[in-house]
Amino acid sequence: MLFYHGSPEQFDHFDLSRAGEGTGVKFGFGIYLTESEASAVHYSQPRNMPPTEEHYLYTVEIPELTEDNHLVSAQPVNPAIVKKTEEKLGKAVPKEVTEKGKEFRKWVGCVLTGAKKAGFAEEKAAAQFLDGIGVICNVWPQAQTKPDGLKNCAVFNADHVHIVKVEKIEIEKKDKKYVLVSRKEVK
């Protein structure tokens, strides 16, 4: 599957040691990707940084999503993922946390760390655990009003993200969004 990633930095592989720096971990710990090129262009300028001079658009490939290899933030967790989690943790997963992928992810992180509330450490622990049982990412719709539209995802392990193309892009701000002005492929 092809997705996009926007960044103010050029690199040849993803590094999870920097996860959370640009957008936080609201949708889980991982590499944030989108099916929307326009969104990736916009996020090439991190919102928590002053305007940067350079911007890059990455076209990446991840494995195909199957029913049992990813979570969907606002949908029930696939029973196979719940079963693998229970087997590995040695405890039952409460039914109420299986109704939404984001609650399940947070619960797993809290169980692993002993915390009462999910934060950065819990999201990271959940991502590592889920990757270990074959769950590659968390998925959410780009627009909550269009759940069957374009998707965003947080991939838990950099080994699942293959860079297909890197483009240096110029952007400008229009109506509170950064938009593409020009692009040139980086060799």
Side-chain angles (χ1 to χ4, degrees):
M1 297 187 71
L2 290 180
F3 281 82
Y4 301 98
H5 178 83
S7 176
E9 298 183 29
Q10 183 181 357
F11 49 84
D12 58 6
H13 67 281
F14 284 89
D15 179 0
L16 277 167
S17 69
R18 310 244 351 239
E21 288 182 4
T23 58
V25 293
K26 181 178 179 180
F27 293 99
F29 176 88
I31 299 162
Y32 279 47
L33 306 174
T34 180
E35 286 183 313
S36 167
E37 182 181 273
S39 287
V41 167
H42 176 74
Y43 284 111
S44 71
Q45 173 55 58
R47 63 180 172 210
N48 64 350
M49 292 174 59
T52 59
E53 290 185 27
E54 295 193 355
H55 303 272
Y56 295 90
L57 177 65
Y58 293 82
T59 302
V60 301
E61 187 173 39
I62 66 169
E64 289 297 319
L65 299 181
T66 62
E67 289 183 11
D68 63 348
N69 78 352
H70 71 286
L71 298 177
V72 179
S73 280
Q75 292 183 7
V77 179
N78 182 284
I81 295 172
V82 174
K83 182 179 179 187
K84 288 180 194 176
T85 300
E86 290 176 334
E87 289 171 354
K88 190 159 183 175
L89 290 178
K91 69 186 297 178
V93 175
K95 175 118 176 83
E96 64 269 14
V97 302
T98 67
E99 296 303 314
K100 290 187 176 181
K102 70 178 179 180
E103 299 304 325
F104 177 79
R105 190 186 75 237
K106 291 176 182 185
W107 179 85
V108 167
C110 288
V111 166
L112 293 168
T113 64
K116 299 223 183 291
K117 185 175 180 186
F120 185 85
E122 291 70 34
E123 290 286 6
K124 184 175 181 180
Q128 291 169 338
F129 175 88
L130 291 165
D131 179 63
I133 63 167
V135 179
I136 62 170
C137 65
N138 181 53
V139 173
W140 63 97
Q142 180 190 11
Q144 297 298 330
T145 57
K146 298 179 183 174
D148 294 327
L150 295 175
K151 296 182 287 293
N152 297 326
C153 69
V155 178
F156 303 138
N157 183 331
D159 292 341
H160 297 303
V161 182
H162 171 70
I163 297 172
V164 175
K165 179 169 57 172
V166 182
E167 296 170 287
K168 186 171 184 176
I169 59 174
E170 287 186 41
I171 63 173
E172 67 181 23
K173 197 166 193 176
K174 285 189 179 177
D175 299 324
K176 299 181 183 180
K177 295 275 286 177
Y178 289 98
V179 296
L180 183 65
V181 175
S182 68
R183 64 173 74 200
K184 182 179 180 182
E185 189 165 349
V186 176
K187 300 283 180 197

